[in-house]
Amino acid sequence: MSSIRDRVKDLVPNQVTERLRDGLVGYGVRTAARRPLPDFLIIGTKRGGTTSLWNYLIQHPLVPRLFPAWNTKASHYFEEHWNRGEAWYRSHFPTERQRAALAARHGGPTRVGEAAPLYMFHPLAAQRVAALMPQVKLIVLLRDPVERAYSHWKERRTHGIEPLDFPAALAAEPERTAGERERLIAEPEYFSEPYDWYTYRARGRYLEHLEPWLDRFDRSRLLFLPSEDLYRDARATYTRTLDFLGLPDHDLPNFKVYNDRRSSPLDPQVRAELTDYYLPYNEALEQRLGLTFDWGAR
């Protein structure tokens, strides 16, 4: 009897928590008309420092968190939850009244956003964002694609999703992801885990994934940040981002790194192969953006 009682006691808080969560989600949707769409999106790149930059931004008094509070940095609306509709998306953001209260308290404009690194890579996200929020500001972190690919693999490995070593995972990528991009385009409500999980090499071909955004948004609405700048001087990158968003200066006590993945160095032969592979893609990116990135050998 006591063991049954104990199990019931364990279940009750879980049931209460679940009802509370459902109630907050429902409240967010019911009040969606009073929740403005976001001012900015951090759209990429995965393993490029998006979590760190997001956490720096939400420490600014005029950048509120998502709603409800357990949402970390993204709704994943434009890639995974498109079928849920605009009201569901709006439900993740603060109300006009909450934004006004913050602005009055801190004497400045609020800026609301989310950080979803798959947005840049998803073949339909740019057109979806442009149709719904043509004036949104876009922040793009771009990391050396060799380091990005290796870090991506380490993340999948740590989460128990990747059984292969890095060279084998690179070799298996074409087969694992075959047809997934095409299916995402053909089936707008489809979500592909392989396309998210195993695209180590493909995600580093940045320009082909940025072109849909560059075609739809004026360059003044895009901020390109080398991830290496964020790693070397997080304070300066944070300040540059605040200026882009029209936010007043606000210093932070520290700039800790979030989601860092320490490991053994990348095998030199694999590094050399990937560096050679990405060289023409990096050169095309620099020419298109008029920027220089400190990546790999020249």
Side-chain angles (χ1 to χ4, degrees), residues 120-276:
M120 186 179 88
F121 188 53
H122 192 284
L124 300 180
Q127 67 188 60
R128 290 170 173 174
V129 172
L132 184 62
M133 304 184 299
Q135 299 303 311
V136 74
K137 290 193 171 185
L138 304 167
I139 300 168
V140 186
L141 284 152
L142 297 174
R143 182 182 185 181
D144 180 337
V146 177
E147 297 295 341
R148 194 224 66 80
Y150 189 41
S151 182
H152 187 171
W153 171 82
K154 286 187 288 184
E155 180 193 61
R156 297 297 85 195
R157 190 82 160 179
T158 302
H159 290 173
I161 292 168
E162 179 54 84
L164 303 178
D165 64 25
F166 188 45
L170 289 171
E173 181 176 332
E175 181 179 355
R176 283 170 153 181
T177 62
E180 291 300 297
R181 186 176 181 85
E182 293 76 14
R183 186 176 174 187
L184 286 167
I185 296 170
E187 303 175 30
E189 295 184 0
Y190 175 61
F191 176 74
S192 170
E193 288 181 341
Y195 189 75
D196 184 16
W197 289 352
Y198 301 127
T199 43
Y200 307 116
R201 189 186 296 265
R203 285 208 196 203
R205 299 193 299 264
Y206 295 131
L207 184 55
E208 68 184 69
H209 311 305
L210 282 171
E211 285 290 9
W213 299 91
L214 292 166
D215 288 345
R216 290 171 172 84
F217 290 91
D218 187 83
R219 180 63 183 273
S220 65
R221 309 207 75 78
L222 289 115
L223 175 65
F224 293 99
L225 299 171
S227 299
E228 292 74 21
D229 287 358
L230 177 68
Y231 303 147
R232 282 190 293 256
D233 191 346
R235 178 172 278 105
T237 300
Y238 171 67
T239 299
R240 186 180 172 193
T241 306
L242 296 184
D243 182 64
F244 173 70
L245 295 175
L247 285 165
D249 289 342
H250 177 76
D251 200 16
L252 303 181
N254 64 75
F255 287 87
K256 63 175 284 189
V257 177
Y258 292 79
N259 279 358
D260 191 21
R261 304 275 175 190
R262 303 289 174 141
S263 70
S264 58
L266 178 57
D267 178 86
Q269 288 187 321
V270 178
R271 179 181 297 280
E273 186 274 322
L274 284 173
T275 298
D276 288 344

Side-chain angles (χ1 to χ4, degrees), residues 74-89:
S75 68
H76 299 287
Y77 175 60
F78 294 104
E79 21 87 335
E80 185 174 359
H81 300 301
W82 181 244
N83 63 318
R84 294 177 181 263
E86 183 181 337
W88 181 88
Y89 183 54

